[in-house]
Structure formats: C-alpha cells, structure tokens
Amino acid sequence: MNFKTKIILASKSPRRAKILRMVGMNFKIVPSKVKEKIKQNIEQTKIAESISKEKAKAISLQYPNHIIIGADTIVLSDGEIFGKPKDIYESKQMLRRLSGNSHKVITGVTLINKSNGEINTFSESTEVFVGKIPTKQIEYYANNFNTLDKAGSYGIQGWFSVWIEKINGCYYNVMGLPVSKFYRHFIKFEKLMK
C-alpha cells in the first residue's frame, strides 16, 4: 500500500476510523451530510451499498483527487431493516426484537476517485446470534450507553457483547467496516491511481 495516497473517510463513525488506523492507514475524516434514507425500490441487501455510494459521491465533489471511502451499515431482522434509532424508545424496541433471535448485519462500502472516474462498491454480510436479554438489561443498556449512533441500537465491541452468543462472518463488519474484504478491494483500487 502506498501510504502517500490521499484518503478521506466520509464517515464520522469512530469505529470505522479505529479499524482503518488499526491497519495503518492515514486518512482525513470528512463526514458526509447525506441523509441515510432507505429507498423502497432497492432490494434489502443492496441498501447499505446504495447509501455508501451516495456518501462517497458527495465528498468526492469536494476532493476529486483523493480516494473517498463511504460506508453504511444496516441490520436485517425478520425481513425488517433497522438503521440508527431515532430515540431511546425506538432503541429499546429494536433491542427487544433482536433479543433471542439471529439477524444479519450488512455493511456497504464504496471507494471513489472522481479524477479518474473509478468507483468500486461492495458489501459484506454477517449473521449475529443474540441471547435472550431480560427487560431490565435492555433498559439498562439503552439508558446508559449511546445506542443512537449504531444500526440496530447496539455495538458488538462494548457492553452489549455479553449477549452475543456467536457470529457467522466478519466481526469487524458488525463494527461497521469489513476490514479484510475492504483491504483487498482498496489495494486493487489504489493501483488504478497510478
């Protein structure tokens, strides 16, 4: 990897930033102001990809010579999409729905370099199995931790991890960026810059 490549993360997620730093990437954070609206005419598995592309495109207009990384994560539970909850009440509702069930976490990622017209969009899916959570524990979690900035109202890397029984797939995908798949795509994308 060429560490002189100019990279921008179009996300304010501290978890995505942490994952990128973990693999030695230098980047600037410029959060996209794109509203994370779920379009009804897109198949559920492609929603995160679509939003990630919108986020990356918006920032690429300001930084055409950089590689822009856009990402979005959604939770799919019983055919219903859980994004970020609007408030604590909705957060608790989501957590009750996830309790004792499995769900899928899908993260869409887009890489864009406007100057050469390259766009690469992909996604990763991880199945997460959550144990039965007592109501008092749901109340405690929603009232004492920041659940409003996370798809599905939980972070796998924090206190909520005590309720995760197992996962099938990439752990980092549940955090917000499928690092192994991302890295492979990024290396190929970076070569197109030369």
Side-chain angles (χ1 to χ4, degrees):
M1 181 185 291
N2 175 7
F3 290 100
K4 292 182 180 176
T5 302
K6 293 178 180 177
I7 303 165
I8 288 180
L9 174 61
S11 170
K12 61 183 177 186
S13 165
R15 295 161 296 281
R16 290 186 186 120
K18 183 178 180 179
I19 292 168
L20 291 179
R21 288 189 190 104
M22 181 182 78
V23 295
M25 292 186 79
N26 295 310
F27 56 93
K28 181 179 177 180
I29 296 172
V30 182
S32 173
K33 303 233 185 327
V34 167
K35 298 285 183 194
E36 297 175 8
K37 288 184 181 175
I38 296 169
K39 295 176 182 174
Q40 301 303 320
N41 59 344
I42 300 176
E43 63 180 278
Q44 289 181 326
T45 55
K46 296 294 182 186
I47 289 169
E49 287 186 10
S50 174
I51 296 172
S52 78
K53 190 181 287 187
E54 287 181 34
K55 289 178 178 179
K57 277 185 174 178
I59 299 302
S60 72
L61 298 173
Q62 301 166 52
Y63 298 90
N65 297 315
H66 291 60
I67 293 179
I68 312 299
I69 303 166
D72 188 68
T73 301
I74 63 166
V75 168
L76 273 179
S77 177
D78 294 326
E80 191 175 342
I81 298 160
F82 292 175
K84 294 173 186 170
K86 296 183 196 78
D87 51 36
I88 294 290
Y89 175 76
E90 189 175 57
S91 175
K92 291 174 184 177
Q93 282 187 311
M94 286 183 184
L95 293 168
R96 284 188 199 99
R97 294 277 304 280
L98 298 178
S99 173
N101 293 308
S102 68
H103 61 272
K104 284 185 180 175
V105 177
I106 301 171
T107 299
V109 181
T110 296
L111 303 170
I112 289 182
N113 177 250
K114 188 163 176 56
S115 65
N116 67 9
E118 293 293 336
I119 299 178
N120 180 8
T121 300
F122 56 94
S123 60
E124 183 73 80
S125 178
T126 302
E127 190 172 15
V128 180
F129 296 81
V130 181
K132 189 72 178 161
I133 311 170
T135 300
K136 283 186 179 178
Q137 296 288 296
I138 288 173
E139 292 284 328
Y140 171 77
Y141 182 62
N143 291 330
N144 292 282
F145 294 85
N146 183 11
T147 61
L148 302 183
D149 74 334
K150 298 169 182 70
S153 294
Y154 77 91
I156 195 171
Q157 71 283 356
W159 182 86
F160 194 81
S161 62
V162 299
W163 302 108
I164 305 294
E165 293 183 342
K166 67 176 180 176
I167 67 169
N168 288 337
C170 175
Y171 169 83
Y172 292 103
N173 183 52
V174 185
M175 279 181 68
L177 191 70
V179 67
S180 179
K181 192 170 193 177
F182 164 80
Y183 200 76
R184 292 193 306 272
H185 277 264
F186 186 88
I187 289 169
K188 288 178 184 175
F189 192 86
E190 190 182 37
K191 285 177 182 174
L192 301 172
M193 300 279 289
K194 296 170 184 175

